[in-house]
Every structure is written in structure tokens, then in C-alpha cells.
Amino acid sequence: MNTTGSSGAGVVRVEIDDIQSGALRPRPVPYQGKYIFLRVDDRHAGRALLRRLLPLTAAGLPEVDPRRDAWVAVALTYQGLKALGVPQESLDSFPRAFREGMAARAELIGDLGESAPAHWERPFGTEDVHIALSALSSDAAQLDKELEQARVAYQDTPGVQVIWQQDVRQLPTGRTTFGFRDGISHPNIEGVGLPGSNPQELPIKAGEFILGYPDETGNLPPMPSPDVLGRNGTYVAVRKIHTNVAAWRRYLRANSSSAEDEALLAAKMVGRWPSGAPLTLSPEHDDPELAEDPRRNNNFLYRENDDRGFRCPAGAHIRRTNPRDSTIIGDARMHRLIRRGTTYGPPLPESVLEDDGRDRGLVGFFLGAHLERQFEFIKAEWVNDGNFIGYPGEKDPVAGRHGGTGTVTIPERPVRRRLRNLPSFVVTRGGEYCFLPGLRALRWLAGLED
């Protein structure tokens, strides 16, 4: 089995070949893919399906040739593990957040009002979601090949039903439905051998992302039992988010004095220009050349050059969700996530300010070894609360729950700018907590006996 060493005090050996590709690798660019939820009506059928999926489940790091790079990842909910017949002792060893599920913790993470589970797209938030499959690739033919093999696997397994599917793909612009480039930032994970996107970020302990390794506290994160089930696994918060693009555009238009001011206001709320160029490095204008340079487009920190947020506001979306070295309450490294966003639905045509009724948005995967102090903490404290940056009552201008009463502060000289009456620009359509096992764990699950 291939392992990778790391420098520093002691050597961390990360078992790359036992970790599903869906855990550590960045999203391919360009990309297209599909997400599939399945319900297991018979535990023997569920185990048989896992045996059929195992040959398709990729491990390790990306292929050098992106045309050969397609991967299928297999994750399970708590209800899915129960449906497979996992012993109760093992089920009880999983953390409470995972056992309860995202819908039960909706109030904590801000899924209220129109984002509440009562309004979620079925089968999200029900006990029917058992197995989640994801397939992503840069190459359409390779993706089709992988999907066809997966389709044969579950269609040839009576007792397993497909209950939800979602196609995703990179838009022709290469940007999100809001018009901003995504997928630039990826953490530097110790011992993995895959460089992070920010050269200034010190390696983060592997145990922040993968079970079985020390985390930033120097301890091993709690791991499900037996060890073969927990080791080299991770947790995934799956989110389907609808984007209110027309409302976003109308708000920008109503609060700007010119087209240039409108573009700057949007960038101040996001923290990057539409091209992906960061405000911290290009505060006055968009810089597509900077954005296209992977050596520079994420090569920045905040404290030395922009501690007070005159370039990138402290409340901007990217600064809230990854404060880097900002002066905040708490340690940002303890709350780092692997984020993987994929776009669904058609873009709203340029300059259109009224909603066309089409569903569009993103399906996000947020991965880490600690659901509560990573995903849930970020949602509760950083996205939907401003205390940690000194702006009580303010929320993330893009992803926060505003409901028409939101406020955002933009530092400016000589007088700061205050945005008021923000609507909610995103609506949660559904979410699930999943466990992404290592390959040995998948084989253990597939080999369970009554």
C-alpha cells in the first residue's frame, strides 16, 4: 500500500491507497458529474451492491492525464449503515451529529424559514437516504463509462432503489450561477503529497480531514469501531443549495451608483472578483491574468496586508469561511474544511433581473473529520454570526440567512459603508450527513454477515 511521509516532528504516514478519491482530491476542472441517492430495502442486497461498486471506487491521487481521471465515491448515512445491518455497538460509536442527521440539527446550522427541512426536496431529511454515490470527471466519455458501470451495478441488485439523482456540470463561463469562479482554494494536508493552493499555508494535520491520524490538537479524532470501519474514512456534509440570482442582481443594482460600483460591491461581498482574482491582491479592479495563475491566485494571507479589511472586508464570504491568519476569536486551522462545490441548473441570462422560475444552484460537499467543530461551527458561528470578527448580528453576505433584514459592513475611508435590508440569496433545498469509508471499510461492510 502506498504511503506518504511528512516532515516535522515525527512522520505521519497517510495510507493514500485506502482513502477514497472523493475525500482528498480537488474537484476536476472542467467538470461534469452526477449524484445518486439509493435506498436499501434488503441488507443482503445492500451488501451485494457494495461488492459490485468496489471495483469502480477510485482511491489515491488524480491521474496525470485528466482524460483518464474519473472517480466514483461511495458514502453512507447513519440510516444506511443501519440498513446494511451494521452492529449496534458500531452504530453507537459514531458521533452524535452524524447519528442525528442534518435535518435534526437544522436550527443549529441556520436552516430555518424557507430553508427548513419541512421545505426540503425529498428524499432529503428522511430516513430513506442510505447510500450516496458521486461521480465526477473532466472527460464526458470517461464519466459516461463510469456511470454506466454504476447503473448496471444498482439495476442488477433487487432490493436497492434509486430515489434521487442530480446532474452537475461546470457552466460554459467556468463560473457559478452568481457569476464567480469557484473551486480555487484547497488545503495543504500534511502527509498527502498533494500541494495546497496557498503556498503560504502551513500543512494542516491529516487528522483534521481523515480518521486515524493526529489532528491539530495532537490527538486522534474519535473514530467509529471497529478500527477497520473508521480508519481512513471521513464525514461529508452534502448540501443542495438554490441560488436566488435575480435577487442578487437586483440588490447590487439598487445599492450601486454605476456599473463599476456594482462590480466592486459584488466583489466586496464575495471577497474575489468574478474571474477569481482575490481582492487582497487586486483591490481596485478585476485581474483575469492573476486569476488564471495558480501560483498567485490563492497566494495571500490577511493579517500583514489587510488586517482591517479595507481590501477584502472581514465579513466577505471567502474571508468568513476561511479566515486564514485573520485576527479573529478562535483558531482558524481548527475549523478548516475540504470544500467541493458543483453547479446544477442553467445560468440566468446576463442582465436579467427577474427570476425565470428555473432551479439553479450548487451541490456542495464539505469534508472533515469533525462534523461539529468544522462544518457545523462554520455554519453557526462564521456564516450566520458576526461576533468572531467584531460585527455582532451580521451574517455572511452571500451564504447567510438574512430574510430581508440583513446588514453588512464594508470598511472604507473616510467612512465605512453599511449595507442594509439584505434578502437571503441562497435557500437550502436539502442536506445529509454521510460517512465516506476507506476501501478496507467498504469491503468490511460488503462482507457483513447476519
Side-chain angles (χ1 to χ4, degrees):
M1 176 172 292
N2 290 338
T3 58
T4 303
S6 70
S7 60
V11 175
V12 174
R13 300 187 65 80
V14 178
E15 297 170 322
I16 296 295
D17 286 352
D18 191 46
I19 299 172
Q20 291 196 55
S21 291
L24 293 177
R25 62 169 59 185
R27 187 201 65 202
V29 178
Y31 69 87
Q32 53 188 308
K34 194 180 194 74
Y35 301 109
I36 303 168
F37 286 171
L38 301 112
R39 187 185 68 236
V40 175
D41 296 322
D42 176 83
R43 61 183 179 277
H44 301 101
R47 298 167 189 170
L49 175 62
L50 292 185
R51 290 194 289 273
R52 293 187 174 108
L53 291 173
L54 268 165
L56 306 180
T57 307
L61 301 179
E63 291 276 358
V64 175
D65 183 354
R67 291 171 297 178
R68 297 174 54 199
D69 193 26
W71 41 269
V72 174
V74 182
L76 302 104
T77 64
Y78 176 74
Q79 296 298 330
L81 293 170
K82 285 180 64 175
L84 289 175
V86 171
Q88 191 64 45
E89 182 181 3
S90 293
L91 293 172
D92 292 344
S93 68
F94 281 89
R96 189 177 84 173
F98 175 72
R99 298 196 311 269
E100 291 183 350
M102 190 181 293
R105 301 171 72 83
E107 184 174 354
L108 169 68
I109 61 177
D111 284 335
L112 302 171
E114 59 183 337
S115 289
H119 304 298
W120 285 3
E121 178 181 316
R122 293 187 65 84
F124 284 105
T126 72
E127 294 187 354
D128 290 342
V129 182
H130 295 158
I131 298 176
L133 303 182
S134 66
L136 290 173
S137 180
S138 291
D139 182 75
Q142 189 68 23
L143 177 68
D144 289 344
K145 177 182 175 182
E146 299 289 335
L147 285 173
E148 176 60 20
Q149 293 180 75
R151 185 188 65 80
V152 169
Y154 57 70
Q155 287 191 347
D156 287 353
T157 310
V160 176
Q161 299 292 325
V162 173
I163 58 174
W164 181 82
Q165 300 182 67
Q166 181 70 63
D167 292 314
V168 294
R169 59 174 38 86
Q170 183 169 300
L171 296 176
T173 60
R175 300 177 181 179
T176 67
T177 53
F178 280 135
F180 285 77
R181 183 179 174 187
D182 193 21
I184 297 173
S185 183
H186 190 77
N188 181 0
I189 305 171
E190 182 183 76
V192 169
L194 188 66
S197 56
N198 184 355
Q200 299 188 56
E201 180 179 63
L202 295 175
I204 298 174
K205 297 293 184 182
E208 290 296 318
F209 308 101
I210 301 295
L211 298 174
Y213 306 92
D215 61 18
E216 285 290 309
T217 70
N219 300 309
L220 291 173
M223 192 167 72
S225 63
D227 284 355
V228 67
L229 173 60
R231 185 171 180 83
N232 293 321
T234 189
Y235 297 101
V236 187
V238 182
R239 305 273 286 174
K240 181 173 181 179
I241 304 295
H242 171 74
T243 51
N244 292 324
V245 179
W248 166 259
R249 291 177 181 174
R250 288 196 303 271
Y251 189 84
L252 293 173
R253 182 69 52 86
N255 288 273
S256 302
S257 58
S258 65
E260 292 76 14
D261 185 46
E262 185 176 329
L264 178 60
L265 177 58
K268 290 285 188 179
M269 294 169 73
V270 173
R272 292 184 184 271
W273 295 95
S275 71
L279 281 174
T280 303
L281 299 181
S282 183
E284 303 297 334
H285 57 82
D286 202 349
D287 186 344
E289 184 177 341
L290 166 63
E292 290 300 319
D293 187 345
R295 299 167 301 178
R296 297 192 296 145
N297 63 14
N298 206 39
N299 187 2
F300 63 92
L301 298 173
Y302 293 115
R303 187 174 298 175
E304 182 176 348
N305 297 319
D306 193 26
D307 194 36
R308 298 181 64 185
F310 286 110
R311 292 179 174 222
C312 178
H317 173 65
I318 70 162
R319 191 158 176 169
R320 278 178 171 268
T321 54
N322 180 16
R324 306 188 185 215
D325 67 333
S326 295
T327 303
I328 62 169
I329 299 173
D331 182 356
R333 292 171 63 84
M334 299 282 288
H335 310 290
R336 200 78 161 86
L337 276 173
I338 297 174
R339 296 176 175 83
R340 190 174 300 122
T342 51
T343 298
Y344 76 88
L348 186 68
E350 289 290 332
S351 302
V352 172
L353 299 179
E354 296 300 324
D355 188 66
D356 61 359
R358 306 286 296 277
D359 190 19
R360 57 178 58 85
L362 66 89
V363 177
F365 273 39
F366 305 89
L367 299 98
H370 304 270
L371 277 173
E372 291 188 54
R373 77 161 162 84
Q374 290 174 311
F375 173 76
E376 291 191 341
F377 180 93
I378 291 172
K379 283 289 294 175
E381 302 295 332
W382 288 358
V383 170
N384 284 311
D385 192 349
N387 285 321
F388 83 104
I389 55 172
Y391 294 128
E394 294 194 9
K395 299 177 173 64
D396 186 316
V398 181
R401 179 177 54 84
H402 300 292
T405 62
T407 300
V408 168
T409 300
I410 299 177
E412 291 183 356
R413 293 185 177 96
V415 180
R416 66 186 180 183
R417 185 174 185 180
R418 183 69 58 85
L419 301 176
R420 301 184 187 278
N421 303 320
L422 270 77
S424 297
F425 299 115
V426 299
V427 178
T428 306
R429 293 286 196 229
E432 296 288 342
Y433 286 151
C434 296
F435 179 62
L436 191 74
L439 295 188
R440 284 197 300 264
L442 276 177
R443 288 191 287 270
W444 182 85
L445 290 165
L448 285 171
E449 297 180 357
D450 294 341

